[in-house]
Amino acid sequence: MKDKFSTFDQIELTRRNMLRGMGAVAGTAALAATGLAPRGAMAQDMPVVRAYGVPTAALKDWSPLEASLGIKCELNGTSNDVGVFMRDIMASNLGDSTDIYIFESGTEDILGPRGMYAKIETDHPELTLWERTSDAWKRSPVVTDEEGNQWGVPVIGNADSFGYVPEAIGVDPASEEELSWSLMFEDEATRGRVAYGQGWSYSMPSAALYLKETGKADIKNVSDMTAEEAAVVADFLIERKKAGQFRTLYGAFEEQIQLLTNKEVDVINCWEPAVREANNVLGENATRYAYTVEGYFKWGHGAYVAAPAMERDNVDNIYKMLNYFLGGEYRALQARDRGYAGPNMDLGVAYAEENGWSDAEIEALRATEAKVNRKFEKPFTSTTTPQDASDIEEQWQRFLNA
C-alpha cells in the first residue's frame, strides 16, 4: 500500500520563511470580514490561547468564553482544504506562535507521529470533562490514530449535505423529506444552477457516495478510494461539468453564503451555517439544508495541541480551552448559532436551562441532537486522509482543469 505520507514529503521547505506568519495575517483578515474575530483581541488584560484552524469552530462571540475562563481565544482561520492545512503547519513553523490547531480530515495520524502535535494528557487537571465524554466522540478517528494514540479533543461534528432553494426546485419549504444528491450532480431541473466546492477532500467523496449508493460505480470505501476508483469519479464529474451542470466552483465559506443570499444558485454543497446565514437575510426557510436519500459527508473537528506549546508557560490555559470545547456553554452556543452537535450535548441543554434560554431555544438544542442522530443512520463518507491522497488529488485536478 502506498505510504500516505508521500504526498506531503515533497513539500518545498524553502517556503518556510516566506510562509511564516502568512496564516495569521490572512486568517485575521478573513475573520474580521466575517465577524468571527474575538472581541478585544488586542487587549493585554487576559492570557491568550492562539489557535489556527477552520472558522466553523469559532463562536460568533467569544465573550462568554472570556467571562467563564478568564482567557481569550484568537483563532486565525484557514480553509477546510487538508492539503493547505498540513502544508502550512509542516512548512511554516506555525507551532512557534500557535497553541492549538483545529481541523478535521484525520490529520492526527500524519502530523502527530511527525512531531507537530503533542499527545493529549487525558489526566490533566484542567481536562475535567474527559471521563464523562462518550467514546463515540473522544475515540473517533478524527482525534485518535490506528494505534490508539490520543492526538486531539473532539470539538464539533455534523453530517453535511447540500443547501437548496425550495421554491426553485419545487419542494415545500417546510418539508422534511429526503432529497437525492442527483439534484447536485445530474438533474436537468438544476443544470447550470449548481455550486460545487473546489476542495477535493470536501467535494469529491460526496460524488463518490452518490455513485456508490445509486449503483453507478463500484466503490468499496468512499472515504479511502483507490486511484482507479477516484478516476471513475473524476470521469463522471468531468462529464457533468462539460454538460453544464455546475454554474460555479466556490472556495470560501463566505462564497457559500453569498451564492445563496444572492440566489445565484439553487443547489450548493455547503456547510449548514451558510444556510442559516442566508436565511438571516432572506427569511425563514428561504433556503433549506437537505436530508438526503443516499447519505452524508460526516465530519468532526478535533483540537490538537501544537507540540512546541508544551514547552511554553501557557499549558494550563490550553487545557482549559480544550475542556471548554467539551462543556455546555460552548455546546449550546455552537448548536444555537450554527446548528452543530458535539460531545456532551446534554450539558448544552443544561446550560441553556440554567441561563434562562427560551423554551424554543432549548427545544432547538434537543432538535439539533435528534437531527444529527437521524443523519448518522445513513451511509456517509467520513473525514479521514486517504491512503492514495496524492492520486485522488491528481484526479481532482483533472476535473478542475477539464
Side-chain angles (χ1 to χ4, degrees), residues 164-168 192-193 247 255-267 278-279 281-283 285-287:
Y164 64 96
V165 180
E167 181 182 12
R193 298 288 299 171
R247 179 182 178 87
E255 291 180 76
Q256 300 175 17
I257 300 171
Q258 181 181 30
L259 288 164
L260 286 169
T261 303
N262 294 346
K263 298 185 178 180
E264 296 179 49
V265 296
D266 299 331
V267 180
N279 286 344
V281 176
L282 301 175
N285 287 339
T287 63

Side-chain angles (χ1 to χ4, degrees), residues 120-354:
I120 298 298
E121 298 176 0
T122 59
D123 59 351
H124 193 283
E126 296 292 350
L127 199 61
T128 60
L129 296 174
W130 186 257
E131 289 303 321
R132 65 108 60 206
T133 301
S134 71
D135 284 349
W137 286 99
K138 71 184 181 186
R139 303 298 293 167
S140 78
V142 173
V143 290
T144 60
D145 62 21
E146 294 178 354
E147 285 72 43
N149 295 304
Q150 193 75 48
W151 294 110
V153 168
V155 178
I156 54 176
N158 201 6
D160 282 7
S161 59
F162 53 87
Y164 64 96
V165 180
E167 181 182 12
I169 65 173
V171 174
D172 182 349
S175 174
E176 298 291 311
E177 72 173 291
E178 294 179 344
L179 303 177
S180 172
W181 279 93
S182 63
L183 289 166
M184 171 71 59
F185 295 117
E186 54 181 355
D187 193 309
E188 283 300 306
T190 59
R191 186 158 62 93
R193 298 288 299 171
V194 174
Y196 193 40
Q198 64 183 11
W200 71 265
S201 62
Y202 186 70
S203 291
M204 199 171 190
S206 296
L209 180 68
Y210 170 69
L211 293 175
K212 174 182 173 68
E213 294 301 316
T214 56
K216 297 177 183 292
D218 184 12
I219 300 173
K220 184 177 180 181
N221 182 352
V222 295
S223 298
D224 193 13
M225 288 184 285
T226 65
E228 293 75 19
E229 291 168 340
V232 171
V233 177
D235 287 342
F236 168 74
L237 290 173
I238 290 169
E239 185 276 322
R240 297 313 303 153
K241 183 179 182 181
K242 291 180 176 179
Q245 185 70 19
F246 308 116
R247 179 182 178 87
T248 187
L249 300 177
Y250 72 83
F253 174 63
E254 293 77 19
E255 291 180 76
Q256 300 175 17
I257 300 171
Q258 181 181 30
L259 288 164
L260 286 169
T261 303
N262 294 346
K263 298 185 178 180
E264 296 179 49
V265 296
D266 299 331
V267 180
I268 175 174
N269 70 318
C270 64
W271 305 348
E272 189 167 0
V275 169
R276 289 173 173 253
E277 294 294 335
N279 286 344
N280 286 339
V281 176
L282 301 175
E284 185 178 3
N285 287 339
T287 63
R288 291 293 306 271
Y289 204 62
Y291 288 107
T292 71
V293 174
E294 295 86 11
Y296 300 88
F297 181 86
K298 180 184 175 183
W299 58 269
H301 286 168
Y304 316 95
V305 179
M310 296 300 292
E311 304 302 321
R312 299 193 282 266
D313 59 359
N314 205 30
V315 174
D316 284 352
N317 289 323
I318 291 171
Y319 271 83
K320 287 179 183 178
M321 187 75 202
L322 297 178
N323 198 63
Y324 186 78
F325 289 138
L326 303 177
E329 182 174 274
Y330 179 81
R331 186 64 48 239
L333 293 172
Q334 267 284 353
R336 182 188 68 184
D337 295 340
R338 300 186 183 278
Y340 293 154
N344 301 321
M345 200 70 193
D346 60 311
L347 294 181
V349 174
Y351 171 86
E353 292 172 338
E354 292 166 5

Side-chain angles (χ1 to χ4, degrees), residues 74-107:
E74 292 181 358
L75 174 62
N76 294 320
T78 183
S79 73
N80 69 324
D81 186 312
V82 62
V84 171
F85 177 79
M86 288 198 285
R87 286 166 185 151
D88 278 358
I89 290 177
M90 289 193 287
S92 57
N93 284 350
L94 286 182
D96 291 348
S97 58
T98 300
D99 299 311
I100 61 174
Y101 305 115
I102 304 173
F103 204 68
E104 50 181 302
S105 293
T107 60

